[in-house]
Amino acid sequence: MTYCVAVRVDQGLVMLSDTRTNAGMDNIARFRKTFTYEQPGERALAIMCSGNLSITQEVKSCLSRAIKDSQDDPDIETILNCSTMHRAAQLVGDAMRSMQKRYRDTIEMQGAGADASILVAGQRRGGKPRLYLVYSAGNFIEATAETPFFQIGEHKYGKPILDRIIEPNTSLAEATKAVCVSMDSTLRSNLSVGMPLDLTIIPRNEYAFRTRYRIEPEDEQFAAISRAWSAALRKGFEDLPSVLD
């Protein structure tokens, strides 16, 4: 299973993903689910993957191959040279659609699911920070002021804190705390989501990554947030009025 969350606020973009995958009862492995692409001073973007691993790895390979080929042929359009972030989401959707067409029937004949989804987040010079959710069919939607975050994978446990905290004017620091609490809640309630975690931050108008940080199981900062959140929940519960009084 997977949990990836991405937040778009006025100050920029915050993303957090786990690394656990499950290919059967006894086949638990770790794979990176966040991949970053950057031309410092011009654009920075990240993709986050959930669902069938073979599909998402092929999508990533398709995008990377185009970037490599464009070094010899600048006419090849890639997520690093396309005109807008919207167009970058279209290119990811095109790659998703192509991989689904190539592999879906074979995967499903083996009894496995071929569904996958990808978050695309970033900013290019001259544009605003953007966040998109690309579905298996290759179509996508964009985050808005009313829906400033997207989740893919095992999202239900980590959604309540985001619903209560994330607004367009939320600071990057507060958004980072919120996604960490969201992930901690998911880790506690679903064993199919696991550490280490990948935290990625793109501040508005910097066109570069401020943070690309691997949170290991022994990370003290994340552990401190987890302990403080647990204590706050216990204290809040104790302070609630009794139902029977």
Side-chain angles (χ1 to χ4, degrees), residues 155-166:
H155 61 270
K156 56 183 176 292
Y157 303 107
K159 190 172 186 293
I161 181 66
L162 301 175
D163 285 333
R164 288 176 168 84
I165 297 297
I166 300 300

Side-chain angles (χ1 to χ4, degrees), residues 208-230:
F209 295 95
R210 176 180 295 175
T211 301
R212 281 182 283 193
Y213 179 60
R214 171 62 61 96
I215 301 174
E216 299 288 353
E218 65 274 11
D219 188 273
E220 181 54 36
Q221 283 185 304
F222 187 84
I225 289 175
S226 178
R227 289 192 300 267
W229 179 243
S230 293

Side-chain angles (χ1 to χ4, degrees), residues 167-216:
E167 297 178 350
N169 62 356
T170 303
S171 69
L172 278 183
E174 293 297 298
T176 302
K177 283 197 296 184
V179 299
C180 286
V181 170
S182 178
M183 181 64 75
D184 179 66
S185 299
T186 305
L187 291 170
R188 283 178 171 269
S189 298
N190 192 312
L191 295 178
S192 68
V193 177
M195 298 182 82
L197 314 173
D198 289 311
L199 175 65
T200 308
I201 300 174
I202 306 175
R204 186 186 186 97
N205 295 339
E206 290 189 12
Y207 317 109
F209 295 95
R210 176 180 295 175
T211 301
R212 281 182 283 193
Y213 179 60
R214 171 62 61 96
I215 301 174
E216 299 288 353

